[in-house]
Amino acid sequence: MDLLALADFVLVARHGGFGRAARAATRPKSTLSRRVAELEAGLGLRLLERGARTLKLTEEGRALYERAGHLLTELDETAAAIASGGQRPRGQLRISAPLLFSQTAMGKIAAGFALKYPEVRLEVSTEDRAVDMIEEGFDLAIRVNPNPDETLVGRAFLHDRLVVAASPGLARPTANTTAPAVVRSASDRLTWQVMTATGPTPIMIEPVLALTSLVMVRDAVRAGVGAGRLPLSLVSHDLADGTLVEWGEVDGPDIVLWTLYPSKRLLSARVSAFLDYLKQAFPKGTPDELAAYIGK
């Protein structure tokens, strides 16, 4: 197989078309088209479906791109590392991170990492969905309580838990009353189960606001409009200052943040460096450590 033609195919597939690939690589579009056609002829397979305005990978083309793209990247990085005399972190590092973690901590983490490793081009994409890391070209994903995935490996680096917090001026409901509440969805349950010193306790609520962002929920709770279920790290300073009070810990599993990466890839120097940086940022992985990043 012609590795140069394979590299051109990966370039075209990554950019989604010959024109965009040609502009990105500052090479003639006709050269890329010819090289990909030669690769298809050599393999006896059609790798791309060429439409009038669109280009789509065939099933065989997608399979080749998913495998060859990462291998070629690893080869380039290995050659660069050898040329520079060691495994110094360098190159592009694409990370997918959830919204709340990005809003509260990722900016500071990314800035610190960039200062420490100036040869790494860090790109962080914020989204709560489970991205396809290989197809979308991510090196690392940070996820909350991820579902098991045989194609990915990873490690837990941070633990948090949900608490019910409210303004001190808001009366805690009794057995026969309800409390105004700020919820994430209008369809949330009307009873919250919390753990207190006396054991499990139900809290009946009356939703008054539905806000999809936990930061918005916290701000509304601070304003005294109702109680809310919030990560401890997000209200830790408020609880310590007495501007909010805790009604109990929400009964359920901890919030666990994981770093995930494709198991079939060699762990590059830049990914290893970022994992180590997170470990240094959160050595114990506690809510208080995350709260220190969030600030007041």
Side-chain angles (χ1 to χ4, degrees):
M1 183 183 295
D2 186 339
L3 288 181
L4 294 177
L6 179 62
D8 285 344
F9 161 71
V10 169
L11 179 70
V12 171
R14 182 171 293 150
H15 288 278
F18 288 99
R20 286 191 289 269
R23 288 189 293 273
T26 62
R27 293 175 58 197
K29 177 180 175 181
S30 59
T31 299
L32 293 178
S33 180
R34 176 174 55 82
R35 297 298 294 274
V36 171
E38 290 172 354
L39 179 64
E40 290 178 317
L43 293 173
L45 295 170
R46 180 173 291 279
L47 303 174
L48 301 170
E49 294 290 353
R50 299 163 175 80
R53 294 186 177 180
T54 61
L55 181 145
K56 181 180 178 182
L57 289 168
T58 64
E59 184 177 347
E60 294 81 6
R62 184 173 299 281
L64 181 61
Y65 171 62
E66 289 177 355
R67 288 163 176 79
H70 293 302
L71 289 174
L72 289 172
T73 299
E74 294 293 346
L75 285 172
D76 288 341
E77 290 173 357
T78 300
I82 293 172
S84 65
Q87 287 291 325
R88 185 170 57 197
R90 60 189 302 165
Q92 187 179 43
L93 176 60
R94 297 192 68 231
I95 298 175
S96 172
L99 178 62
L100 181 62
F101 185 72
S102 296
Q103 289 176 328
T104 55
M106 199 63 190
K108 294 179 182 178
I109 291 171
F113 183 82
L115 290 171
K116 187 173 182 179
Y117 299 103
E119 293 185 65
V120 177
R121 301 187 307 277
L122 182 59
E123 177 186 332
V124 179
S125 179
T126 298
E127 48 216 333
D128 287 326
R129 66 185 178 89
V131 297
D132 186 323
M133 293 186 62
I134 294 177
E135 182 173 340
E136 298 178 54
F138 287 106
D139 300 286
L140 193 72
I142 297 173
R143 284 293 168 263
V144 179
N145 296 347
N147 294 322
D149 189 331
E150 294 181 356
T151 67
L152 302 175
V153 294
R155 64 183 74 166
F157 72 95
L158 191 60
H159 290 253
D160 208 342
R161 56 185 182 273
L162 284 177
V163 297
V164 175
S167 168
L170 188 65
R172 179 168 179 153
T174 61
N176 299 318
T177 61
T178 61
V182 184
V183 297
R184 295 286 303 281
S185 169
S187 61
D188 277 5
R189 296 178 181 176
L190 298 182
T191 301
W192 291 342
Q193 292 290 338
V194 299
M195 297 297 296
T196 65
T198 59
T201 303
I203 296 177
M204 292 186 293
I205 63 166
E206 179 66 32
V208 293
L209 276 178
L211 305 172
T212 58
S213 163
L214 283 170
V215 173
M216 289 194 295
V217 172
R218 181 200 59 185
D219 292 346
V221 170
R222 282 175 171 175
V225 70
R229 294 193 299 181
L230 292 160
L232 178 58
S233 60
L234 198 58
V235 292
S236 178
H237 296 296
D238 299 273
L239 296 176
D241 294 343
T243 53
L244 292 179
V245 295
E246 181 183 330
W247 285 0
E249 185 175 317
V250 174
D251 190 16
D254 280 358
I255 302 168
V256 185
L257 271 72
W258 286 71
T259 50
L260 304 172
Y261 43 91
S263 59
K264 293 182 180 180
R265 289 190 64 190
L266 296 174
L267 202 58
S268 68
R270 64 181 183 274
V271 173
S272 294
F274 190 83
L275 293 174
D276 290 341
Y277 192 84
L278 280 182
K279 181 63 177 177
Q280 294 168 13
F282 307 106
K284 297 180 180 178
T286 63
D288 286 343
E289 290 176 341
L290 180 54
Y293 268 87
I294 296 173
K296 297 183 181 182

